[in-house]
Amino acid sequence: MISVSQTFINKLNELGYKSLTPIQKIGIPIILKGKNTIVIAPTGFGKTETAIFPVFYKILSSNAEKISAIYITPLRALNRDLEDRLSRIGSALGIKIAIRHGDSTERQRKRILEDPPDLLLTTPETLLYLLVNQKMRELLGNIRWIIIDELQEMLDEKRGYELLLAIQRLKRLSKYEIQLIGLSATIGDIELAKRFIGRNVEVAEYNTRKDVKIELVIPTVSKDLAELSYKTGLHPDTLARIRELEKLIKENKPVLVFTNVRESTEFLASELSKLSQLKVRTHHGSLSREIRLEAEKEFKTGNLDALIATSSLELGIDVGTINAVIQYTSPKQVIRLVQRIGRSGHSINKVSSGFLLPSHDIFDILECKSIIDNLKEGYLEKPIVEPKPYDVMAHEIAGLVLEGITDKKEIFNLIKSSFQYNDLTEEEFEETLSILESARIIRKNKDKISPAGRLWRYYYSTNMIPDSIKDYIVIDHISNTKIGTLDYEFVATLDENTVFILGGKIWRVVSIEENRIYVENAQLKSGVLPSWFGESIPVEREISIKVYDYIERIERGDQIDLPKEILEKISSLLEEQKRRGYPVPTKSKILVEINNDLIVLHAGLGSRGNNTLGALLSLLLTQVKGVRTTYRSDPYHIAIASLVPVSKEEFTKAIKILNSLSSSEFEDLLKRAIKESPQYKWKLLIEAERFGLIDKQKTDITFSQTLLKAYTDTLVGEEAVKELMYKNYDVTLREFLTRLTWECIEVPGFSPLAKEFLNKLFVAAHSDEKGVMIEIFRRKLLNNKVKIICMVCGWNNIYYAAEVPDRCTKCGSIFLTVTDEDDKESVEIIKKVIKGSKISKNEKKKFEILQNISSMFSTYKKYVAIGLSARGVGINNIGKVLNKLSDGEDRFFESLLEEERKFLRTRKYWQ
């Protein structure tokens, strides 16, 4: 710290800052020169101090007026952490820190105005409110430094876009040239980040990444889990992961466990509490602030073994020592994994330790490996920026009018000063003003703009945070039982008679009323694919391509760093694919399987790419066939369903049309497809709120669905399409598709690889007796032990039901009978009969039963043993159950499950 006063250094030494970290040595000199700066370094390397030390020094050395610095964080919880940390440094140096966010009390807000701090901690949303407060604006005129924490989080979100415009407003207010400093552990696009921060930006990066140890953990399913799965109702694979999770927590506690959705968070906490002695709690955005704070405190003080969280703990909230991070199922993105794993070993000399625990699905396993390998290669997902978002501009116009700016040209120029609005036209600006005027937010008068009646309410009630307005309770109207909850975003895509998946079952909407959805069990019909409520984190094309690269390499027999049993599982699947005459899809070839009215595409285009291709082909097929088609996709597959069969020629025609489109035609077709998507309706509603056309508090789905059509052909509808296009679709796909080849085949049944996808897609199409429960029940019965007795020679032995021999291992007879493993009486009866000894009346009755069983065994073999091992199945009903084998094995197990259910329901009456 050359040229920094010794007194300042001594104070820092007293606080324990004896030496600078590598990033501080790089970043502090740049910031001291007054340069706009981006600081990039792993978690725990002292990025905050890299910005704070030079800013605090400059505040003291220049005797800066208050408020001279603003520190902006995306989460209020980060503000709480930073306040403690910065106040400790500030009080030692004589620098006052204050915090201002949505939870601040009236007293705290007044104190800031009466006794201003040197540095104010706040969030992007609160900053917008401060800018329209007259007294606060006077203080903001003294701003010299703006620090933006977690910069990566701001680059591709509308709240970040609005922060950019808010900073332009601050620059207009300040008497000084403001220096901007951005902090981030990871940045996917440094050039974009530089444009965000401003002109003449220097990057301070410590690019020798902190040691990261990431292990891919794939649990095996042991036999003992079959019985436990039957008792708990959980799939053995799920139980195996929970067991492995328990083991990892015990070995590494305290541990932070990340999931991708809050339902998984609550599920894991519940199951771990039931199946283990571990002390665990949950942390996600749906919990109240008090509950989250309590969980953070318990973890920090060492009272918890694990804290299970969603992205709510992804950023730098201080929860104390974290020995390891466990990611439950794929994190979907490299940048998310880096952020999450970086929470462990939270200091410069410690290794960040993490475990990835994928699901049993082979694509989830390969996706986890792809993410780890991409991380090793230095890949990070790039933020996707939407150009000139009109809704953000509308809200900022309202803010500028509240500040007292009435000149239309001045407002237009200020908005255009942000790089995102460089090509904003006067026509677009004027149309936005007209929408705001129609909503009674502003009034236009030639070159002037003035406030209207709804201005204050609109500005204060609107923000750009993507949130769900409210949850809906889903009720089975037949049994009048609650099934679960859905958020507004998903519900807005539903209509009456829509089918969707919830809780592993398929439901049809009967009616939507207030905060309730009434449904009934449904079966899928031809041409209809179910909607499902799940993860919204997109997997990028680079991850998916590598997954298909692994598939190619495994097929060739190349060595891949995966557990032997997983490689064997995938190899076996690919061998079966080829044995049955199906091609193996590759990273450069899209394989299309056409089976009458259902089509499956194997394509490694990522979440947004496959969503785009599915939307376009579905629309083109609708045009070609003249009947409606629907589609669903994941990062590796697309399923398209038609009401009538589709031929190979018709599908090939759709592909040719797609490949012949120019860039502008491709984009126009995509916009049409987006407008026909169920998500468009929801996004249109959100945009109507953001433009102030609908009051957020008065939003009602049934009301909005009819009213919103009026906004489709306005700037509101255009913004809804634009946001979806950049968030959920891939506008760069057309160029990439030109590098790929296609192979279309008509199939009598889908390939093993296609079934892997379809089984996930249609898991909910099963009724109670089908699907996962059947598999659990089957495994349980196969692992039951039975006694096998030969009716001819009396030989007997105990076997698992799945492993009983077809013939007597002693005499070769096919007449074997089945009984309980502890049944000694039956052995003695059969031996008496063989010897010709006299037997009692009861023994004769039992022998006849054993004889009948042996007669069935000669025909049905092991299935007799499997059937009789089920509770509630005996000589009176085993024949009926065995007859179901003519309809297939699944039907046999369904029938056994129903007999066992009957037994469990009725035994209380006769026990």
Side-chain angles (χ1 to χ4, degrees):
M1 276 193 185
I2 299 161
S3 83
V4 177
S5 77
Q6 196 59 47
T7 306
F8 190 86
I9 293 171
N10 291 342
K11 292 281 188 185
L12 293 182
N13 286 340
E14 287 169 18
L15 289 168
Y17 296 99
K18 304 290 185 184
S19 61
L20 297 179
T21 67
I23 189 59
Q24 288 163 3
K25 288 175 183 175
I26 299 166
I28 288 173
I30 297 171
I31 295 169
L32 282 172
K33 288 177 188 172
K35 298 269 188 181
N36 290 332
T37 311
I38 295 172
V39 180
I40 307 168
T43 303
F45 269 59
K47 292 187 295 293
T48 299
E49 289 81 0
T50 303
I52 286 301
F53 288 168
V55 168
F56 279 3
Y57 174 72
K58 285 192 161 193
I59 289 172
L60 292 171
S61 60
S62 65
N63 196 23
E65 299 167 273
K66 300 175 180 185
I67 301 169
S68 59
I70 289 185
Y71 195 117
I72 300 165
T73 65
L75 296 177
R76 282 181 287 187
L78 283 175
N79 275 333
R80 292 194 298 271
D81 277 346
L82 282 162
E83 185 184 25
D84 294 341
R85 193 159 147 207
L86 300 187
S87 293
R88 179 173 160 268
I89 301 170
S91 60
L93 296 168
I95 287 174
K96 187 180 168 77
I97 312 292
I99 188 167
R100 175 72 162 79
H101 53 57
D103 292 332
S104 300
T105 63
E106 192 60 39
R107 188 178 173 187
Q108 287 170 329
R109 296 175 190 194
K110 281 183 179 177
R111 194 184 302 140
I112 289 169
L113 293 172
E114 292 164 1
D115 184 16
D118 295 290
L119 180 141
L120 183 67
L121 274 163
T122 192
T123 61
E125 287 68 40
T126 301
L127 177 60
L128 297 178
Y129 305 146
L130 300 180
L131 281 165
V132 295
N133 180 299
Q134 180 58 44
K135 289 182 179 177
M136 183 58 75
R137 276 207 308 279
E138 291 171 15
L139 293 170
L140 294 176
N142 301 323
I143 291 292
R144 298 188 187 190
W145 301 278
I146 297 173
I147 301 166
I148 305 168
D149 204 357
E150 305 292 353
L151 178 62
Q152 171 71 23
E153 295 296 304
M154 296 285 101
L155 296 180
D156 60 355
E157 293 290 344
K158 284 193 169 177
R159 61 195 301 236
Y161 307 161
E162 184 152 26
L163 176 60
L164 262 179
L165 288 172
I167 288 169
Q168 297 306 117
R169 290 161 68 184
L170 274 173
K171 286 178 179 178
R172 177 185 164 276
L173 283 175
S174 180
K175 296 177 283 190
Y176 305 96
E177 187 174 340
I178 297 175
Q179 181 182 7
L180 273 84
I181 305 159
L183 312 178
S184 192
T186 55
I187 288 184
D189 188 339
I190 290 174
E191 288 307 310
L192 172 65
K194 286 166 76 173
R195 293 182 76 192
F196 192 101
I197 291 297
R199 294 192 180 92
N200 305 317
V201 179
E202 287 204 25
V203 177
E205 183 175 11
Y206 185 62
N207 56 19
T208 304
R209 189 176 293 284
K210 179 180 153 186
D211 289 332
V212 177
K213 180 187 167 192
I214 303 172
E215 187 179 337
L216 186 60
V217 181
I218 304 168
T220 53
V221 179
S222 55
K223 279 189 175 181
D224 66 306
L225 291 177
E227 183 64 33
L228 184 59
S229 70
Y230 184 71
K231 287 178 183 174
T232 59
L234 299 174
H235 197 288
D237 291 312
T238 304
L239 277 171
R241 281 196 301 281
I242 292 170
R243 279 261 180 96
E244 189 65 40
L245 186 58
E246 179 189 355
K247 177 172 167 279
L248 289 172
I249 292 170
K250 283 177 178 174
E251 290 172 354
N252 297 278
K253 61 186 180 181
V255 162
L256 199 52
V257 180
F258 279 107
T259 71
N260 296 333
V261 291
R262 69 187 185 204
E263 289 80 10
S264 298
T265 304
E266 294 294 350
F267 166 75
L268 287 180
S270 171
E271 295 305 323
L272 282 170
S273 298
K274 281 190 268 182
L275 300 171
S276 74
Q277 303 299 311
L278 292 170
K279 291 180 282 185
V280 299
R281 285 195 66 168
T282 59
H283 191 291
H284 55 75
S286 298
L287 297 172
S288 69
R289 176 175 174 265
E290 289 72 26
I291 291 172
R292 292 198 307 272
L293 283 173
E294 191 181 316
E296 290 167 24
K297 186 180 177 183
E298 276 198 71
F299 190 81
K300 201 169 184 176
T301 53
N303 293 328
L304 296 178
D305 298 317
L307 191 55
I308 306 173
T310 57
S311 56
S312 59
L313 280 179
E314 207 169 88
L315 305 182
I317 299 169
D318 183 14
V319 287
T321 302
I322 301 166
N323 286 341
V325 168
I326 302 168
Q327 169 66 44
Y328 186 80
T329 71
S330 167
K332 304 296 177 186
Q333 295 177 340
V334 177
I335 207 157
R336 202 168 283 268
L337 178 66
V338 172
Q339 203 86 299
R340 291 177 174 185
I341 300 295
R343 295 306 318 272
S344 70
H346 199 288
S347 70
I348 196 164
N349 299 315
K350 291 186 179 178
V351 174
S352 286
S353 177
F355 301 91
L356 258 68
L357 199 56
S359 74
H360 64 281
D361 172 55
I362 63 165
F363 283 93
D364 198 60
I365 293 167
L366 293 176
E367 183 175 286
C368 284
K369 176 167 175 52
S370 174
I371 287 168
I372 292 171
D373 288 350
N374 270 289
L375 169 60
K376 288 174 183 174
E377 293 165 13
Y379 168 78
L380 289 174
E381 289 83 2
K382 288 192 173 187
I384 298 153
V385 178
E386 179 195 333
K388 50 184 178 184
Y390 303 129
D391 49 358
V392 171
M393 174 171 65
H395 196 237
E396 281 299 292
I397 289 168
L400 288 163
V401 173
L402 281 172
E403 279 191 56
I405 304 172
T406 59
D407 184 73
K408 198 188 289 185
K409 193 72 177 172
E410 187 180 352
I411 293 173
F412 179 69
N413 288 337
L414 189 141
I415 289 166
K416 273 182 73 76
S417 66
S418 167
F419 80 90
Q420 272 188 295
Y421 293 92
N422 284 343
D423 62 347
L424 178 72
T425 66
E426 289 193 9
E427 289 75 21
E428 291 165 330
F429 180 68
E430 282 293 338
E431 190 175 342
T432 305
L433 293 179
S434 296
I435 291 168
L436 291 173
E437 187 174 42
S438 71
R440 294 183 294 109
I441 291 165
I442 61 160
R443 291 190 187 91
K444 291 194 297 178
N445 184 14
K446 295 182 181 178
D447 294 332
K448 299 293 179 185
I449 305 170
S450 59
R454 294 180 63 247
L455 178 61
W456 277 97
R457 182 174 179 177
Y458 163 66
Y459 188 73
Y460 275 93
S461 66
T462 304
N463 64 54
M464 299 297 149
I465 298 175
D467 64 346
S468 294
I469 300 162
K470 58 185 175 183
D471 284 341
Y472 279 72
I473 299 167
V474 183
I475 297 169
D476 179 352
H477 79 99
I478 293 168
S479 61
N480 201 32
T481 54
K482 178 185 170 183
I483 296 156
T485 58
L486 295 170
D487 69 21
Y488 191 92
E489 176 179 352
F490 185 76
V491 174
T493 68
L494 304 177
D495 290 309
E496 288 186 4
N497 290 319
T498 302
V499 290
F500 68 95
I501 291 171
L502 183 64
K505 295 176 190 171
I506 192 158
W507 305 96
R508 177 182 292 104
V509 177
V510 176
S511 68
I512 303 172
E513 303 169 16
E514 294 183 359
N515 64 337
R516 282 174 161 72
I517 303 173
Y518 292 94
V519 299
E520 62 186 13
N521 260 136
Q523 294 291 323
L524 286 179
K525 293 181 178 178
S526 179
V528 178
L529 293 171
S531 301
W532 70 90
F533 174 64
E535 296 172 2
S536 58
I537 305 164
V539 175
E540 290 303 325
R541 189 194 300 158
E542 289 77 4
I543 304 299
S544 299
I545 287 171
K546 200 175 276 289
V547 166
Y548 273 103
D549 182 53
Y550 297 145
I551 289 171
E552 286 182 63
R553 288 164 61 191
I554 292 168
E555 190 214 347
R556 289 198 304 262
D558 294 353
Q559 285 300 309
I560 302 281
D561 183 21
L562 280 171
K564 184 183 174 186
E565 59 270 23
I566 296 301
L567 282 174
E568 287 174 353
K569 180 182 175 181
I570 298 169
S571 295
S572 173
L573 188 70
L574 295 177
E575 284 302 318
E576 179 67 11
Q577 179 94 356
K578 291 189 289 183
R579 188 186 68 75
R580 291 174 56 189
Y582 297 97
V584 174
T586 69
K587 61 179 181 286
S588 58
K589 178 180 73 179
I590 297 173
L591 174 63
V592 183
E593 297 183 35
I594 303 166
N595 178 240
N596 294 318
D597 56 3
L598 187 59
I599 302 155
V600 172
L601 288 80
H602 306 259
L605 302 174
S607 303
R608 295 182 306 109
N610 278 350
N611 192 33
T612 305
L613 187 58
L616 294 174
L617 285 173
S618 181
L619 184 61
L620 288 171
L621 277 174
T622 299
Q623 290 177 6
V624 169
K625 296 290 294 180
V627 293
R628 184 175 169 270
T629 59
T630 58
Y631 79 96
R632 297 288 179 265
S633 64
D634 72 4
Y636 311 99
H637 312 88
I638 304 164
I640 301 175
S642 170
L643 289 167
V644 296
V646 176
S647 68
K648 179 180 173 180
E649 290 72 26
E650 287 166 333
F651 196 84
T652 305
K653 184 179 178 183
I655 294 169
K656 283 180 179 173
I657 295 170
L658 181 66
N659 287 336
S660 70
L661 298 174
S662 66
S663 295
S664 60
E665 288 169 338
F666 185 93
E667 191 169 309
D668 287 344
L669 189 69
L670 180 56
K671 285 177 181 178
R672 272 186 56 202
I674 290 170
K675 284 185 178 181
E676 293 186 20
S677 73
Q679 290 76 25
Y680 176 68
K681 181 172 59 181
W682 167 73
K683 187 58 72 178
L684 194 57
L685 172 66
I686 296 300
E687 290 307 331
E689 289 170 351
R690 286 178 177 169
F691 276 93
L693 294 163
I694 298 174
D695 282 337
K696 200 169 186 176
Q697 294 81 359
K698 293 180 180 177
T699 301
D700 174 77
I701 277 186
T702 50
F703 160 79
S704 62
Q705 286 176 358
T706 51
L707 182 73
L708 287 173
K709 289 177 184 175
Y711 304 130
T712 299
D713 296 324
T714 68
L715 215 61
V716 180
E718 193 177 328
E719 180 55 37
V721 169
K722 195 150 57 80
E723 182 172 330
L724 284 170
M725 190 158 70
Y726 282 90
K727 278 283 182 188
N728 297 10
Y729 298 83
D730 185 353
V731 292
T732 68
L733 184 67
R734 179 187 168 276
E735 190 274 327
F736 187 77
L737 284 175
T738 60
R739 304 180 215 165
L740 304 180
T741 58
W742 295 73
E743 183 172 1
C744 296
I745 54 172
E746 288 182 322
V747 296
F750 286 106
S751 71
L753 276 174
K755 283 180 180 175
E756 287 284 312
F757 171 55
L758 292 174
N759 286 343
K760 285 188 290 181
L761 184 61
F762 292 118
V763 65
H766 298 287
S767 58
D768 284 350
E769 292 80 20
K770 295 185 180 177
V772 174
M773 282 305 296
I774 287 293
E775 176 60 19
I776 293 167
F777 185 65
R778 188 181 74 86
R779 290 192 192 191
K780 169 181 171 273
L781 294 187
L782 295 182
N783 283 288
N784 284 346
K785 287 182 178 179
V786 293
K787 182 172 281 184
I788 302 297
I789 313 167
C790 177
M791 298 294 290
V792 176
C793 72
W795 164 88
N796 65 90
N797 205 348
I798 294 170
Y799 290 93
Y800 288 109
E803 297 169 0
V804 299
D806 290 348
R807 295 172 176 271
C808 174
T809 61
K810 186 177 178 183
C811 72
S813 169
I814 60 170
F815 293 103
L816 304 180
T817 195
V818 182
T819 186
D820 296 337
E821 64 173 313
D822 300 322
D823 183 3
K824 294 176 183 174
E825 184 188 4
S826 293
V827 177
E828 293 306 314
I829 293 169
I830 289 169
K831 284 181 178 178
K832 280 183 185 180
V833 172
I834 292 168
K835 288 177 184 176
S837 304
K838 191 175 180 181
I839 57 174
S840 68
K841 191 177 179 181
N842 284 339
E843 286 176 331
K844 187 180 179 185
K845 193 184 266 187
K846 182 140 192 181
F847 180 77
E848 286 172 358
I849 291 171
L850 293 167
Q851 214 169 21
N852 286 338
I853 291 170
S854 74
S855 176
M856 286 185 271
F857 191 93
S858 66
T859 303
Y860 293 105
K861 311 296 183 192
K862 69 177 181 180
Y863 291 106
V864 177
I866 293 166
L868 289 171
S869 72
R871 288 179 290 182
V873 177
I875 191 63
N876 294 324
N877 57 356
I878 183 67
K880 178 182 76 173
V881 172
L882 289 168
N883 285 334
K884 300 294 182 185
L885 281 164
S886 61
D887 297 326
E889 197 178 78
D890 279 357
R891 192 70 192 90
F892 168 69
F893 282 107
E894 287 167 28
S895 185
L896 283 174
L897 181 57
E898 185 53 40
E899 293 301 326
E900 185 158 309
R901 281 206 179 107
K902 283 180 194 172
F903 166 77
L904 293 172
R905 282 196 297 262
T906 59
R907 67 176 174 174
K908 61 187 174 185
Y909 298 115
W910 47 263
Q911 272 186 339

